[in-house]
Amino acid sequence: MPQIAYLGPPGTFTEQATRLLTEDFDADLVPYETVPLALAAVRAGEVLAAGVPVENSVEGSVPATLDALTTAEPLVAVQEAVLPVQFDLLARPGVALSEIGTVASHPHALAQVRSWLSENMPGARTRATSSTAAAAAEVAAGEFDAAISASVALDHYPSLVRLVGGIADVPDAVTRFLLVRRPGVLPEPTGADRTSLCAVISDEVGSLVEMLAELALRGINLSRIESRPIKDRFGEYRFFLDFDGHVADARIGDALTALRRRCSSVRFLGSYPKADRSPASVRPSASEQAFQTSANWLEDLRAGRLA
Amino acid sequence: MPQIAYLGPPGTFTEQATRLLTEDFDADLVPYETVPLALAAVRAGEVLAAGVPVENSVEGSVPATLDALTTAEPLVAVQEAVLPVQFDLLARPGVALSEIGTVASHPHALAQVRSWLSENMPGARTRATSSTAAAAAEVAAGEFDAAISASVALDHYPSLVRLVGGIADVPDAVTRFLLVRRPGVLPEPTGADRTSLCAVISDEVGSLVEMLAELALRGINLSRIESRPIKDRFGEYRFFLDFDGHVADARIGDALTALRRRCSSVRFLGSYPKADRSPASVRPSASEQAFQTSANWLEDLRAGRLA
């Protein structure tokens, strides 16, 4: 059974997401203490892949993930999962809401349920733990009265019960995770794919516009952009881009070669099915057939076959 | 003395940054539990301004800051501070490194000193606290042996000493903070300013390129871009932009009116001196004089003064 790393400990949102990311095959999930350690295990071949947070995470520091993906040997994403940020209030059986004196969780999770706590448990004191799962563990051990955790925590601490579910202050927040592994055969295109990459360009007026125009001119829909400074390379800037389409698609391939010519470096971070399975809309001038027809036409021109 | 809110508790990196942000005047710093609560205090007029993290923070969740800045009534940034992420190991006097059994801090701070800890204190166990300052408080109270904290924590816990300084695994990481207040008279242009805004555009291929081209065509250097989804407005996307220049500058004003025409909404988040004081480079065609000359020329044309 393949081993899959994730940002631990067991019972966190990343475990929940990694289960979703590996639901199509039997996998043995192995927790790692940090994202860089999980990715190092993939690079070293100790595990097949790793489940890591990439956007708006509760426990994982997302800049850490982006930086860890782009330093050391390349890795590629092969699957995406999007989880609603749903917190449960866990306690030992028979404990009533009014009896809870202490509530534990990761500081970021506590911040995201603060309104709910002050409305529903105004007397309870909050306690910080290193993760939402560690909070459940301490409640099971009798250290605190209640934990704010992911629902998957109940699988690891069966002595606890869900006292209240869905207590996040902002009910529609989501967290995005990727399953990443060493480069190899890519996932098949599905028509509803996303491609991620990190591009480094010179810090000049207009260089970002020119790079993004390469995507826009080919009808490629950008779904996310984030700039991150490069500390050791003065005068350059790093951009993380996500856009609709698969590297096997003609328009994506054509755009990638243009970025490769234009940027100081381009790191391909994977083409994988989008979690929401919404198909890419492709304008007629950027279709596979349009690229094929125009390539044939150019070939004819160059061969003197002006028919 | 004006009261200034910050993301507390006292002794954190945000307090350290807020001191820097208010060094030019006497201020009474007031800690708040979360960024939204600190900004609500500014909006309600309970405090004059608030110091909040906006990029790569240790304790503050930065997406929370961006979202809190753009919901509810407008606020503007008037000052910027950039702090190196520098951690100190604090302990009670007379305790040797080899005697330390437990080290406490915020989970993100613990993750950022992990290599240092495993090399220098392999036997110490880590403990999570709600902030780096809370760790210092618990060490002062005798709960744990050592804390990973900001150096400002020593001011609040004078019974502690700095055992080791500068122990971050990545020595050159920085965190960026802004001082924000209710709209009013803007800071004077200094020639080394930054402007921040949040623009909402329709989720169509090319709409981002067109928006950024409005900046590039006027020689405006973008220093940061980040997209954030809008959950309740389907088909639109929100971008946080930082660029060189002051809204009082002709080229920035011209670009802002173009964005206002083009975007569904533009929220101005302030023009303020850059922390590094590096002057904006302005190409001749985007200078104040060039804008003035071209405006005069057009006025002449329209008045029939074709001289």
Side-chain angles (χ1 to χ4, degrees), chain A residues 33-34 37 55-56 59-61 63 106-108 111 114 128-130 172-174 203-206 208-209 212-213 216 219-229 231 237 239 283, chain B residues 33-34 37 55-56 59-61 63 106-108 111 114 128-130 172-174 203-206 208-209 212-213 216 219-229 231 237 239 283:
Chain A
E33 270 195 281
T34 66
L37 289 174
E55 221 171 332
N56 193 21
E59 288 147 311
S61 181
H106 187 281
H108 289 183
R114 191 169 307 268
T129 52
S130 57
D172 50 8
V174 296
D203 185 14
E204 283 162 26
V205 170
L208 174 61
V209 171
L212 296 180
I220 297 169
N221 189 41
L222 195 68
S223 55
R224 179 164 168 261
I225 179 168
E226 186 173 346
S227 58
R228 299 265 309 147
K231 291 265 78 173
Y237 239 81
F239 292 88
R283 63 175 65 159
Chain B
E33 269 193 283
T34 66
L37 288 173
E55 221 170 332
N56 194 20
E59 288 149 311
S61 180
H106 187 281
H108 288 182
R114 193 169 304 270
T129 52
S130 57
D172 50 7
V174 296
D203 184 13
E204 283 162 26
V205 171
L208 174 61
V209 171
L212 296 179
I220 298 168
N221 189 39
L222 195 68
S223 55
R224 179 164 168 262
I225 179 168
E226 185 173 347
S227 58
R228 300 264 308 146
K231 291 267 73 173
Y237 238 83
F239 292 89
R283 60 174 69 155

Coordinates of all heavy atoms in Angstrom, one line a residue, chain A residues 33-34 37 55-56 59-61 63 106-108 111 114 128-130 172-174 203-206 208-209 212-213 216 219-229 231 237 239 283, chain B residues 33-34 37 55-56 59-61 63 106-108 111 114 128-130 172-174 203-206 208-209 212-213 216 219-229 231 237 239 283:
Chain A
E33 N 5.5 16.7 10.7 CA 5.3 17.9 11.6 C 5.2 19.2 10.8 O 4.6 20.1 11.3 CB 6.5 18.0 12.5 CG 6.3 17.2 13.8 CD 7.4 17.7 14.8 OE1 8.5 17.2 14.7 OE2 7.1 18.5 15.7
T34 N 5.8 19.3 9.7 CA 5.8 20.6 8.9 C 5.6 20.2 7.4 O 5.9 19.1 7.0 CB 7.0 21.4 9.1 OG1 8.1 20.7 8.5 CG2 7.3 21.7 10.5
L37 N 9.0 19.3 5.8 CA 9.4 17.9 6.1 C 8.6 16.9 5.3 O 9.1 15.9 4.8 CB 9.2 17.6 7.6 CG 10.2 18.3 8.6 CD1 9.8 18.1 10.0 CD2 11.6 17.8 8.3
E55 N -4.0 27.2 0.1 CA -4.8 28.5 0.2 C -5.6 28.6 1.4 O -6.3 27.6 1.7 CB -5.7 28.6 -1.1 CG -5.7 29.9 -1.7 CD -6.5 29.9 -3.1 OE1 -6.5 28.8 -3.7 OE2 -7.0 30.9 -3.4
N56 N -5.5 29.7 2.2 CA -6.4 30.0 3.3 C -6.5 28.9 4.3 O -7.6 28.5 4.7 CB -7.8 30.3 2.7 CG -8.7 31.0 3.7 OD1 -8.2 31.5 4.7 ND2 -9.9 30.9 3.5
E59 N -4.5 25.6 9.9 CA -3.3 25.3 10.7 C -2.0 25.4 10.0 O -1.0 25.8 10.5 CB -3.4 23.8 11.2 CG -4.5 23.7 12.3 CD -5.1 22.4 12.3 OE1 -5.6 21.9 11.3 OE2 -5.2 21.8 13.4
G60 N -2.1 25.1 8.7 CA -0.8 25.2 7.9 C -0.5 26.6 7.5 O -1.4 27.3 7.1
S61 N 0.7 27.0 7.6 CA 1.1 28.3 7.1 C 1.3 28.2 5.6 O 2.2 27.5 5.1 CB 2.4 28.7 7.8 OG 2.8 30.0 7.3
P63 N 2.2 30.4 3.0 CA 3.5 30.8 2.4 C 4.6 29.7 2.5 O 5.3 29.5 1.6 CB 3.8 32.0 3.2 CG 2.5 32.6 3.8 CD 1.7 31.4 4.0
H106 N -6.1 25.3 17.9 CA -5.0 26.1 17.3 C -5.5 27.6 17.3 O -6.6 27.9 17.1 CB -4.8 25.7 15.8 CG -3.7 26.3 15.1 ND1 -3.7 27.6 14.6 CD2 -2.4 25.8 14.9 CE1 -2.5 27.8 14.1 NE2 -1.7 26.8 14.2
P107 N -4.5 28.5 17.6 CA -4.9 29.9 17.7 C -5.7 30.4 16.5 O -6.7 31.2 16.7 CB -3.6 30.7 17.8 CG -2.6 29.7 18.4 CD -3.1 28.3 17.9
H108 N -5.4 30.0 15.3 CA -6.1 30.5 14.1 C -7.6 30.0 14.1 O -8.5 30.7 13.7 CB -5.4 30.1 12.8 CG -4.2 30.9 12.6 ND1 -3.4 30.8 11.5 CD2 -3.6 31.8 13.4 CE1 -2.4 31.6 11.6 NE2 -2.5 32.2 12.7
A111 N -9.6 32.0 16.6 CA -9.9 33.3 16.1 C -11.1 33.2 15.1 O -11.9 34.1 15.0 CB -8.7 33.9 15.3
R114 N -14.6 32.9 17.3 CA -14.7 33.7 18.4 C -16.1 34.3 18.6 O -16.6 34.3 19.8 CB -13.7 34.9 18.2 CG -13.5 35.8 19.5 CD -12.3 36.7 19.2 NE -11.2 36.0 18.8 CZ -10.2 35.5 19.6 NH1 -10.3 35.7 20.9 NH2 -9.2 34.9 19.2
A128 N -4.6 27.6 23.9 CA -4.0 27.3 22.6 C -3.3 25.9 22.6 O -2.7 25.5 23.6 CB -2.9 28.4 22.3
T129 N -3.5 25.2 21.4 CA -2.7 24.0 21.2 C -2.0 24.1 19.8 O -2.3 25.0 19.1 CB -3.7 22.8 21.2 OG1 -4.8 23.0 20.3 CG2 -4.3 22.5 22.6
S130 N -1.1 23.1 19.6 CA -0.3 23.2 18.3 C -1.2 22.9 17.1 O -0.7 23.2 16.0 CB 0.9 22.3 18.4 OG 0.4 21.0 18.7
D172 N -18.8 30.3 4.9 CA -18.5 29.8 3.6 C -17.0 29.8 3.2 O -16.6 29.8 2.1 CB -19.3 30.5 2.5 CG -19.2 32.0 2.7 OD1 -18.4 32.5 3.5 OD2 -19.9 32.8 2.0
A173 N -16.1 29.9 4.2 CA -14.7 29.9 4.0 C -14.2 28.5 3.5 O -14.8 27.5 3.9 CB -13.9 30.3 5.2
V174 N -13.3 28.5 2.6 CA -12.8 27.2 2.1 C -11.3 27.2 2.2 O -10.6 28.2 2.3 CB -13.2 26.9 0.7 CG1 -14.7 26.8 0.5 CG2 -12.7 28.0 -0.3
D203 N 11.8 42.6 -12.3 CA 11.0 43.6 -11.6 C 11.0 44.9 -12.4 O 11.6 45.9 -12.1 CB 11.6 43.8 -10.2 CG 10.7 44.8 -9.4 OD1 9.5 45.0 -9.8 OD2 11.1 45.2 -8.3
E204 N 10.3 44.9 -13.6 CA 10.3 46.1 -14.5 C 8.8 46.4 -14.7 O 8.0 45.5 -14.8 CB 10.9 45.8 -15.8 CG 12.5 45.9 -15.8 CD 13.1 45.2 -17.0 OE1 12.4 45.1 -18.0 OE2 14.2 44.7 -16.8
V205 N 8.5 47.7 -14.9 CA 7.2 48.1 -15.2 C 6.7 47.3 -16.5 O 7.4 47.3 -17.5 CB 7.1 49.6 -15.5 CG1 5.7 50.0 -16.0 CG2 7.3 50.3 -14.2
G206 N 5.6 46.7 -16.4 CA 5.0 46.1 -17.6 C 5.4 44.6 -17.8 O 4.7 43.9 -18.6
L208 N 4.9 42.1 -15.8 CA 3.8 41.2 -15.4 C 2.7 41.3 -16.4 O 2.1 40.2 -16.8 CB 3.3 41.6 -14.0 CG 2.0 40.9 -13.5 CD1 2.3 39.4 -13.4 CD2 1.5 41.5 -12.2
V209 N 2.4 42.5 -16.9 CA 1.3 42.6 -17.9 C 1.6 41.8 -19.2 O 0.8 41.0 -19.7 CB 1.1 44.1 -18.4 CG1 0.2 44.2 -19.6 CG2 0.6 44.9 -17.2
L212 N 1.1 38.1 -18.4 CA -0.3 37.7 -18.3 C -1.0 37.8 -19.7 O -2.0 37.0 -19.9 CB -1.0 38.5 -17.3 CG -0.5 38.4 -15.8 CD1 -1.3 39.3 -14.9 CD2 -0.7 36.9 -15.4
A213 N -0.5 38.7 -20.5 CA -1.1 38.8 -21.8 C -0.9 37.5 -22.6 O -1.7 37.2 -23.4 CB -0.5 40.0 -22.6
A216 N -3.8 35.6 -21.6 CA -5.1 36.2 -22.0 C -5.3 36.0 -23.5 O -6.4 35.7 -24.0 CB -5.2 37.6 -21.6
G219 N -6.8 32.9 -24.6 CA -8.1 32.6 -24.0 C -8.0 31.8 -22.7 O -8.9 31.1 -22.3
I220 N -6.9 31.9 -22.0 CA -6.7 31.1 -20.8 C -7.2 31.9 -19.5 O -6.7 33.0 -19.3 CB -5.2 30.7 -20.6 CG1 -4.8 29.9 -21.8 CG2 -5.0 30.0 -19.3 CD1 -3.3 29.6 -22.0
N221 N -8.0 31.3 -18.8 CA -8.6 31.9 -17.6 C -7.8 31.7 -16.3 O -7.6 30.6 -15.9 CB -10.1 31.3 -17.4 CG -10.8 32.1 -16.3 OD1 -10.7 33.4 -16.3 ND2 -11.5 31.4 -15.5
L222 N -7.3 32.8 -15.8 CA -6.5 32.8 -14.6 C -7.4 32.7 -13.4 O -8.4 33.4 -13.3 CB -5.7 34.1 -14.5 CG -4.5 34.2 -13.6 CD1 -3.4 33.4 -14.0 CD2 -4.1 35.7 -13.5
S223 N -7.1 31.7 -12.5 CA -8.0 31.6 -11.3 C -7.3 32.1 -10.0 O -8.0 32.3 -9.0 CB -8.4 30.1 -11.1 OG -7.3 29.3 -11.1
R224 N -6.0 32.3 -10.1 CA -5.3 32.8 -8.9 C -4.0 33.4 -9.3 O -3.3 32.8 -10.1 CB -5.1 31.6 -7.9 CG -4.4 32.1 -6.6 CD -4.6 31.0 -5.5 NE -3.7 31.3 -4.4 CZ -2.5 30.7 -4.3 NH1 -2.2 29.7 -5.1 NH2 -1.8 31.0 -3.3
I225 N -3.6 34.5 -8.6 CA -2.2 35.0 -8.8 C -1.8 35.5 -7.4 O -2.5 36.1 -6.7 CB -2.2 36.1 -9.8 CG1 -0.8 36.7 -10.0 CG2 -3.2 37.2 -9.5 CD1 -0.6 37.6 -11.2
E226 N -0.5 35.2 -7.1 CA 0.0 35.8 -5.9 C 1.5 36.0 -6.1 O 2.2 35.2 -6.6 CB -0.1 34.7 -4.7 CG 0.3 35.3 -3.4 CD 0.0 34.4 -2.2 OE1 -0.8 33.4 -2.4 OE2 0.6 34.6 -1.2
S227 N 2.0 37.2 -5.7 CA 3.4 37.5 -5.9 C 4.1 37.2 -4.5 O 3.5 37.4 -3.5 CB 3.6 39.0 -6.2 OG 3.0 39.8 -5.2
R228 N 5.3 36.7 -4.6 CA 6.1 36.4 -3.4 C 7.5 37.0 -3.7 O 8.1 36.7 -4.7 CB 6.2 34.9 -3.2 CG 4.9 34.2 -2.9 CD 4.5 34.1 -1.5 NE 5.6 33.5 -0.6 CZ 5.8 33.8 0.6 NH1 5.1 34.8 1.2 NH2 6.7 33.3 1.3
P229 N 8.0 37.8 -2.8 CA 9.4 38.3 -3.0 C 10.4 37.2 -3.0 O 10.2 36.1 -2.4 CB 9.6 39.2 -1.8 CG 8.6 38.8 -0.8 CD 7.4 38.2 -1.5
K231 N 14.2 36.7 -1.9 CA 15.1 37.5 -1.0 C 16.5 37.5 -1.6 O 17.2 38.5 -1.4 CB 15.1 36.9 0.4 CG 13.8 37.1 1.2 CD 13.9 38.3 2.1 CE 13.7 39.6 1.4 NZ 13.6 40.8 2.2
Y237 N 11.0 39.0 -9.4 CA 9.8 38.8 -8.6 C 9.2 37.4 -9.0 O 9.4 37.0 -10.2 CB 8.8 39.9 -8.9 CG 8.4 40.5 -7.6 CD1 9.2 41.5 -7.0 CD2 7.3 40.1 -6.9 CE1 8.9 42.1 -5.8 CE2 6.9 40.7 -5.7 CZ 7.7 41.7 -5.1 OH 7.4 42.3 -3.9
F239 N 6.0 34.8 -9.2 CA 4.5 34.8 -9.2 C 4.0 33.4 -9.2 O 4.5 32.5 -10.0 CB 4.0 35.5 -10.4 CG 4.2 37.0 -10.4 CD1 5.4 37.5 -10.9 CD2 3.3 37.8 -9.8 CE1 5.6 38.9 -10.8 CE2 3.5 39.2 -9.8 CZ 4.7 39.7 -10.3
R283 N -12.5 29.4 -26.1 CA -13.0 30.2 -27.3 C -12.6 29.5 -28.5 O -11.5 28.9 -28.6 CB -12.6 31.6 -27.2 CG -11.1 31.8 -27.3 CD -10.7 33.3 -27.3 NE -11.0 34.0 -26.1 CZ -10.4 35.1 -25.7 NH1 -9.5 35.7 -26.5 NH2 -10.7 35.7 -24.6
Chain B
E33 N -7.8 41.4 20.6 CA -7.6 40.0 20.5 C -7.5 39.5 19.0 O -6.8 38.5 18.7 CB -8.8 39.2 21.1 CG -8.5 38.9 22.6 CD -9.6 37.9 23.0 OE1 -10.7 38.3 23.3 OE2 -9.2 36.7 23.1
T34 N -8.1 40.2 18.1 CA -8.1 39.8 16.7 C -8.0 41.1 15.8 O -8.3 42.2 16.3 CB -9.4 39.1 16.2 OG1 -10.5 40.0 16.3 CG2 -9.6 37.8 17.1
L37 N -11.4 42.8 15.4 CA -11.7 43.6 16.5 C -10.9 44.9 16.6 O -11.5 46.0 16.9 CB -11.5 42.8 17.8 CG -12.5 41.7 18.1 CD1 -12.1 40.8 19.3 CD2 -13.9 42.2 18.3
E55 N 1.5 41.0 5.5 CA 2.2 40.1 4.7 C 3.1 39.2 5.5 O 3.8 39.6 6.4 CB 3.1 40.9 3.7 CG 3.1 40.3 2.3 CD 3.8 41.3 1.3 OE1 3.8 42.5 1.6 OE2 4.4 40.8 0.4
N56 N 3.0 37.8 5.3 CA 3.9 36.9 5.9 C 4.1 37.0 7.4 O 5.2 37.0 7.9 CB 5.2 37.0 5.2 CG 6.1 35.8 5.5 OD1 5.7 34.8 5.8 ND2 7.4 36.0 5.3
E59 N 2.2 35.5 13.8 CA 1.0 35.2 14.6 C -0.3 35.6 14.0 O -1.3 34.9 14.1 CB 1.1 35.9 16.0 CG 2.2 35.2 16.8 CD 2.9 36.2 17.7 OE1 3.3 37.3 17.3 OE2 2.9 35.9 18.9
G60 N -0.3 36.7 13.3 CA -1.6 37.2 12.7 C -1.9 36.4 11.4 O -1.0 36.2 10.6
S61 N -3.1 36.1 11.2 CA -3.5 35.5 10.0 C -3.8 36.6 9.0 O -4.7 37.4 9.1 CB -4.8 34.7 10.2 OG -5.2 34.0 9.0
P63 N -4.7 36.7 5.6 CA -6.0 36.8 4.9 C -7.1 37.5 5.7 O -7.9 38.3 5.2 CB -6.4 35.3 4.6 CG -5.0 34.6 4.6 CD -4.2 35.3 5.6
H106 N 3.9 30.3 19.8 CA 2.8 30.1 18.8 C 3.3 29.0 17.8 O 4.4 29.0 17.4 CB 2.6 31.5 18.0 CG 1.4 31.5 17.1 ND1 1.4 30.9 15.9 CD2 0.2 32.0 17.3 CE1 0.2 31.0 15.3 NE2 -0.5 31.7 16.2
P107 N 2.3 28.2 17.4 CA 2.7 27.1 16.5 C 3.5 27.5 15.3 O 4.4 26.8 14.8 CB 1.4 26.4 16.1 CG 0.4 26.8 17.2 CD 0.9 28.1 17.8
H108 N 3.1 28.6 14.7 CA 3.9 29.1 13.5 C 5.3 29.5 13.8 O 6.2 29.3 13.0 CB 3.1 30.2 12.8 CG 1.9 29.8 12.1 ND1 1.1 30.7 11.4 CD2 1.3 28.6 12.0 CE1 0.0 30.0 10.9 NE2 0.1 28.7 11.3
A111 N 7.3 26.4 14.2 CA 7.7 25.8 12.9 C 8.9 26.5 12.3 O 9.6 25.9 11.5 CB 6.5 25.8 12.0
R114 N 12.3 25.3 14.0 CA 12.4 23.9 14.2 C 13.9 23.3 14.0 O 14.4 22.6 14.8 CB 11.5 23.1 13.3 CG 11.2 21.7 13.6 CD 10.1 21.2 12.8 NE 8.9 22.0 13.1 CZ 8.0 21.7 14.0 NH1 8.1 20.7 14.8 NH2 7.0 22.5 14.2
A128 N 2.6 24.6 22.6 CA 1.9 25.6 21.9 C 1.2 26.6 22.8 O 0.7 26.3 23.8 CB 0.8 25.0 21.0
T129 N 1.4 27.9 22.4 CA 0.6 29.0 23.1 C -0.1 29.8 22.1 O 0.1 29.7 20.9 CB 1.6 29.9 23.9 OG1 2.6 30.3 23.1 CG2 2.2 29.1 25.1
S130 N -1.0 30.7 22.5 CA -1.8 31.5 21.6 C -1.0 32.6 20.9 O -1.5 33.1 19.9 CB -3.0 32.1 22.3 OG -2.6 32.9 23.4
D172 N 16.3 35.7 6.7 CA 16.0 36.9 6.0 C 14.5 37.1 5.8 O 14.1 37.9 5.0 CB 16.7 37.1 4.7 CG 16.6 35.9 3.8 OD1 15.9 35.0 4.2 OD2 17.3 35.8 2.8
A173 N 13.6 36.3 6.5 CA 12.2 36.5 6.3 C 11.8 37.8 6.9 O 12.3 38.3 7.9 CB 11.4 35.4 7.0
V174 N 10.8 38.5 6.3 CA 10.3 39.8 6.9 C 8.8 39.7 7.0 O 8.1 38.9 6.3 CB 10.7 41.0 6.0 CG1 12.2 41.1 5.9 CG2 10.1 40.8 4.6
D203 N -14.8 38.2 -13.8 CA -13.9 37.0 -14.0 C -14.0 36.6 -15.5 O -14.5 35.6 -15.8 CB -14.5 35.9 -13.1 CG -13.6 34.7 -13.1 OD1 -12.5 34.8 -13.6 OD2 -14.0 33.6 -12.7
E204 N -13.3 37.5 -16.3 CA -13.3 37.2 -17.7 C -11.8 37.1 -18.2 O -11.0 37.9 -17.6 CB -14.0 38.3 -18.5 CG -15.5 38.2 -18.5 CD -16.1 39.5 -18.9 OE1 -15.5 40.3 -19.7 OE2 -17.2 39.7 -18.4
V205 N -11.5 36.3 -19.2 CA -10.2 36.2 -19.7 C -9.8 37.6 -20.1 O -10.5 38.3 -20.8 CB -10.1 35.3 -20.9 CG1 -8.8 35.4 -21.6 CG2 -10.4 33.9 -20.5
G206 N -8.6 38.1 -19.7 CA -8.1 39.4 -20.1 C -8.4 40.6 -19.3 O -7.8 41.6 -19.4
L208 N -7.9 41.0 -16.1 CA -6.8 41.4 -15.2 C -5.7 42.1 -16.0 O -5.1 43.1 -15.6 CB -6.2 40.1 -14.5 CG -5.0 40.4 -13.7 CD1 -5.2 41.4 -12.6 CD2 -4.5 39.0 -13.1
V209 N -5.4 41.5 -17.2 CA -4.3 42.1 -18.1 C -4.7 43.6 -18.4 O -3.9 44.5 -18.3 CB -4.2 41.4 -19.4 CG1 -3.3 42.1 -20.3 CG2 -3.6 40.0 -19.1
L212 N -4.1 45.8 -15.3 CA -2.7 46.0 -15.0 C -2.0 46.8 -16.1 O -1.1 47.6 -15.8 CB -2.0 44.7 -14.8 CG -2.4 43.8 -13.7 CD1 -1.6 42.5 -13.6 CD2 -2.3 44.6 -12.3
A213 N -2.5 46.7 -17.3 CA -2.0 47.6 -18.4 C -2.2 49.0 -18.1 O -1.4 49.9 -18.4 CB -2.6 47.2 -19.7
A216 N 0.8 49.8 -16.0 CA 2.1 49.7 -16.8 C 2.2 50.8 -17.8 O 3.3 51.4 -18.0 CB 2.1 48.3 -17.5
G219 N 3.7 53.8 -16.4 CA 5.0 53.6 -15.8 C 5.0 53.3 -14.3 O 5.9 53.6 -13.6
I220 N 3.9 52.7 -13.9 CA 3.7 52.5 -12.4 C 4.2 51.1 -12.1 O 3.7 50.1 -12.6 CB 2.2 52.7 -12.0 CG1 1.8 54.1 -12.3 CG2 2.0 52.3 -10.6 CD1 0.3 54.4 -12.2
N221 N 5.1 51.0 -11.1 CA 5.7 49.8 -10.7 C 4.9 49.0 -9.6 O 4.7 49.5 -8.5 CB 7.1 50.0 -10.2 CG 7.9 48.7 -10.0 OD1 7.8 47.8 -10.8 ND2 8.6 48.7 -8.9
L222 N 4.4 47.9 -10.0 CA 3.6 47.0 -9.1 C 4.5 46.3 -8.1 O 5.5 45.7 -8.6 CB 2.8 46.0 -9.9 CG 1.6 45.3 -9.3 CD1 0.5 46.2 -9.0 CD2 1.1 44.2 -10.2
S223 N 4.3 46.4 -6.8 CA 5.2 45.7 -5.9 C 4.5 44.4 -5.3 O 5.2 43.6 -4.7 CB 5.6 46.6 -4.8 OG 4.5 47.2 -4.1
R224 N 3.2 44.3 -5.4 CA 2.5 43.1 -4.9 C 1.2 43.0 -5.5 O 0.5 43.9 -5.7 CB 2.4 43.3 -3.4 CG 1.7 42.1 -2.7 CD 1.9 42.1 -1.2 NE 1.0 41.2 -0.5 CZ -0.1 41.5 0.0 NH1 -0.5 42.8 0.1 NH2 -0.9 40.6 0.6
I225 N 0.8 41.7 -5.8 CA -0.6 41.4 -6.2 C -1.0 40.1 -5.6 O -0.2 39.2 -5.5 CB -0.6 41.3 -7.8 CG1 -2.1 41.0 -8.2 CG2 0.3 40.3 -8.4 CD1 -2.3 41.2 -9.7
E226 N -2.3 40.1 -5.2 CA -2.8 38.9 -4.6 C -4.3 38.8 -4.9 O -5.0 39.8 -4.7 CB -2.6 38.8 -3.1 CG -3.0 37.5 -2.5 CD -2.7 37.4 -1.0 OE1 -1.9 38.2 -0.5 OE2 -3.3 36.5 -0.4
S227 N -4.7 37.7 -5.5 CA -6.2 37.6 -5.7 C -6.8 36.9 -4.5 O -6.2 36.0 -3.9 CB -6.4 36.7 -7.0 OG -5.8 35.4 -6.9
R228 N -8.0 37.3 -4.2 CA -8.8 36.7 -3.2 C -10.2 36.5 -3.7 O -10.8 37.4 -4.3 CB -8.9 37.6 -1.9 CG -7.6 37.9 -1.3 CD -7.2 37.0 -0.2 NE -8.2 36.9 0.8 CZ -8.4 35.8 1.5 NH1 -7.7 34.7 1.3 NH2 -9.4 35.7 2.5
P229 N -10.7 35.2 -3.6 CA -12.1 35.0 -4.1 C -13.1 35.8 -3.3 O -13.0 36.2 -2.2 CB -12.3 33.5 -3.9 CG -11.3 33.1 -2.8 CD -10.2 34.1 -2.9
K231 N -16.9 35.3 -2.1 CA -17.8 34.2 -2.0 C -19.2 34.6 -2.4 O -19.9 33.8 -2.9 CB -17.7 33.7 -0.5 CG -16.4 33.0 -0.1 CD -16.4 31.5 -0.3 CE -16.3 31.0 -1.7 NZ -16.2 29.7 -2.0
Y237 N -13.9 38.8 -9.2 CA -12.6 38.5 -8.5 C -12.1 39.8 -7.9 O -12.2 40.8 -8.4 CB -11.6 37.9 -9.5 CG -11.2 36.5 -9.0 CD1 -12.0 35.4 -9.2 CD2 -10.1 36.4 -8.2 CE1 -11.6 34.1 -8.8 CE2 -9.7 35.1 -7.8 CZ -10.5 34.0 -8.0 OH -10.1 32.8 -7.6
F239 N -8.8 41.8 -6.3 CA -7.3 41.8 -6.3 C -6.8 42.9 -5.3 O -7.3 44.0 -5.3 CB -6.8 42.1 -7.7 CG -7.1 41.0 -8.7 CD1 -8.3 41.0 -9.4 CD2 -6.2 40.0 -8.8 CE1 -8.5 40.0 -10.3 CE2 -6.4 39.0 -9.7 CZ -7.6 38.9 -10.4
R283 N 9.4 57.4 -15.3 CA 9.9 57.7 -16.6 C 9.4 59.0 -17.1 O 8.3 59.5 -16.7 CB 9.4 56.6 -17.6 CG 7.9 56.4 -17.7 CD 7.5 55.4 -18.8 NE 7.9 54.0 -18.4 CZ 7.3 53.0 -18.8 NH1 6.3 53.1 -19.7 NH2 7.6 51.8 -18.5

